[in-house]
Amino acid sequence: MGVIDSKGGLIGKVKTVSEFSSRIQLLSDNDRTNRVSAMISQDQPEYGFIEGYDEDTGLLIMRKIDLEAEIKRMLWL
């Protein structure tokens, strides 16, 4: 199950649960098996998987996107 912050942004997913707590795997975790389905919302939605985090750029890595997709660069404030 996905985990969101107080502003509604996705930060990770529930990895394990116990009676009183849960362990969360963050999107920025570099575990190669860590994947989260995602959609890029623009003129036409594009789907793929967030599969990692680039420490040099501070950006998430999204893969499995259609090769023909025209993705526009957007800045998040």
Side-chain angles (χ1 to χ4, degrees):
M1 178 170 280
V3 178
I4 59 172
D5 65 12
S6 62
K7 296 180 183 178
L10 181 67
I11 61 169
K13 62 183 178 181
V14 176
K15 187 77 170 174
T16 60
V17 296
S18 63
E19 188 174 355
F20 298 108
S21 65
S22 299
R23 186 172 298 264
I24 307 303
Q25 184 172 28
L26 298 177
L27 292 177
S28 59
D29 185 351
N30 282 323
D31 178 356
R32 294 182 56 90
T33 63
N34 186 22
R35 292 187 181 146
V36 177
S37 177
M39 177 185 73
I40 300 171
S41 180
Q42 48 184 15
D43 299 333
Q44 182 174 346
E46 297 294 340
Y47 300 90
F49 290 95
I50 296 172
E51 293 189 349
Y53 176 74
D54 186 329
E55 291 183 19
D56 294 332
T57 63
L59 299 173
L60 294 172
I61 299 168
M62 188 166 175
R63 295 195 172 115
K64 310 280 193 265
I65 302 170
D66 183 358
L67 289 174
E68 303 295 319
E70 294 183 26
I71 308 297
K72 299 176 189 171
R73 183 180 177 120
M74 299 175 66
L75 297 177
W76 295 90
L77 303 174

